[in-house]
Amino acid sequence: DADVTQTPRNRITKTGKRIMLECSQTKGHDRMYWYRQDPGLGLRLIYYSFDVKDINKGEISDGYSVSRQAQAKFSLSLESAIPNQTALYFCATSSGTRVAGELFFGEGSRLTVL
Amino acid sequence: DQQVKQNSPSLSVQEGRISILNCDYTNSMFDYFLWYKKYPAEGPTFLISISSIKDKNEDGRFTVFLNKSAKHLSLHIVPSQPGDSAVYFCAASAGGNTGKLIFGQGTTLQVKP
């Protein structure tokens, strides 16, 4: 089983719909992240959380919200999806104590907004 | 404005030869640099990193070189193997171990048998 699990893996939705992407981890890490990948742009940080009561905006947080329900769970919501939020979304975790910047990524959630 | 750039979208090399992937950055506050490898339908996986106080870090077939004056880093893979065929992302961070990474666009490496 994957250490970082994302659901759903693929989702097609319509403009204006609310979408939630979920992430759970068994690595026991306190730190969790949501990144977005777009062709030609690499990955960009949306939100991150260093523990259950900590939520921080990343580089591109507009149009997104997150919830850290437990140490192992971090969900990303699009309140009203729009086509330019079509992308591949990755959840990641970090121990914060090993190699600086070493993140453990899930397999990704491909979201298409029509 | 992209702070981390990988100007070569793709690279093709023969098995057994050296692969050199390049990355340029603009922010002098970056203190850690990393390379991630990504196979299709999988998440990126950490490959190797280097601190800004060093100019070289080696791990088996993988070596990362950092030229701070040129704001340039490179990943050398020697010898290249077909299993190395993947997308390689350069990433950088500033201000310690936060996990807040700035990624380059990625370079697709194809190693031909």
Side-chain angles (χ1 to χ4, degrees):
Chain A
D1 288 341
D3 293 322
V4 182
T5 303
Q6 294 182 228
T7 55
R9 294 292 312 278
N10 288 284
R11 181 72 184 268
I12 300 173
T13 190
K14 294 182 178 179
T15 298
K17 295 292 187 180
R18 184 178 187 273
I19 294 297
M20 179 180 287
L21 305 180
E22 299 185 341
C23 177
S24 62
Q25 53 115 346
T26 58
K27 298 194 74 67
H29 291 165
D30 286 326
R31 301 180 176 192
M32 297 188 74
Y33 309 79
W34 276 103
Y35 280 86
R36 164 180 171 162
Q37 183 188 0
D38 295 277
L41 291 178
L43 284 78
R44 292 178 292 167
L45 180 62
I46 307 173
Y47 270 96
Y48 63 101
S49 168
F50 282 178
D51 64 42
V52 175
K53 296 181 180 180
D54 177 71
I55 300 290
N56 302 281
K57 293 183 177 181
E59 185 183 350
I60 53 163
S61 59
D62 287 349
Y64 301 95
S65 62
V66 291
S67 174
R68 186 79 185 267
Q69 301 95 323
Q71 187 211 32
K73 295 185 183 295
F74 192 37
S75 59
L76 176 72
S77 293
L78 288 68
E79 296 301 324
S80 180
I82 56 177
N84 76 1
Q85 291 177 314
T86 293
L88 184 55
Y89 291 84
F90 288 103
C91 175
T93 73
S94 168
S95 68
T97 57
R98 281 169 49 89
V99 175
E102 181 183 14
L103 302 179
F104 296 84
F105 285 89
E107 295 179 317
S109 296
R110 185 169 295 280
L111 176 66
T112 303
V113 183
L114 301 177
Chain B
D1 186 29
Q2 195 123 12
Q3 298 183 65
V4 177
K5 293 183 180 180
Q6 294 175 253
N7 292 316
S8 298
S10 62
L11 174 68
S12 181
V13 300
Q14 209 65 35
E15 180 180 6
R17 306 294 290 269
I18 184 171
S19 295
I20 301 177
L21 295 93
N22 294 303
C23 179
D24 297 298
Y25 64 95
T26 58
N27 189 343
S28 58
M29 299 302 292
F30 288 144
D31 51 8
Y32 283 101
F33 302 89
L34 307 96
W35 286 93
Y36 279 80
K37 176 179 178 179
K38 184 184 180 304
Y39 292 118
E42 295 183 10
T45 56
F46 170 76
L47 188 57
I48 192 170
S49 66
I50 188 167
S51 163
S52 61
I53 63 173
K54 297 186 176 182
D55 55 18
K56 177 182 175 181
N57 188 27
E58 191 171 353
D59 183 2
R61 297 185 297 112
F62 303 91
T63 303
V64 57
F65 295 92
L66 176 62
N67 183 333
K68 286 178 62 178
S69 61
K71 293 189 173 68
H72 177 84
L73 65 156
S74 60
L75 174 68
H76 292 209
I77 307 173
V78 183
S80 301
Q81 301 173 352
D84 296 329
S85 298
V87 178
Y88 289 79
F89 290 100
C90 169
S93 71
N97 188 6
T98 64
K100 294 167 59 181
L101 302 182
I102 305 295
F103 283 83
Q105 308 96 309
T107 297
T108 300
L109 172 66
Q110 182 184 26
V111 180
K112 297 180 178 179

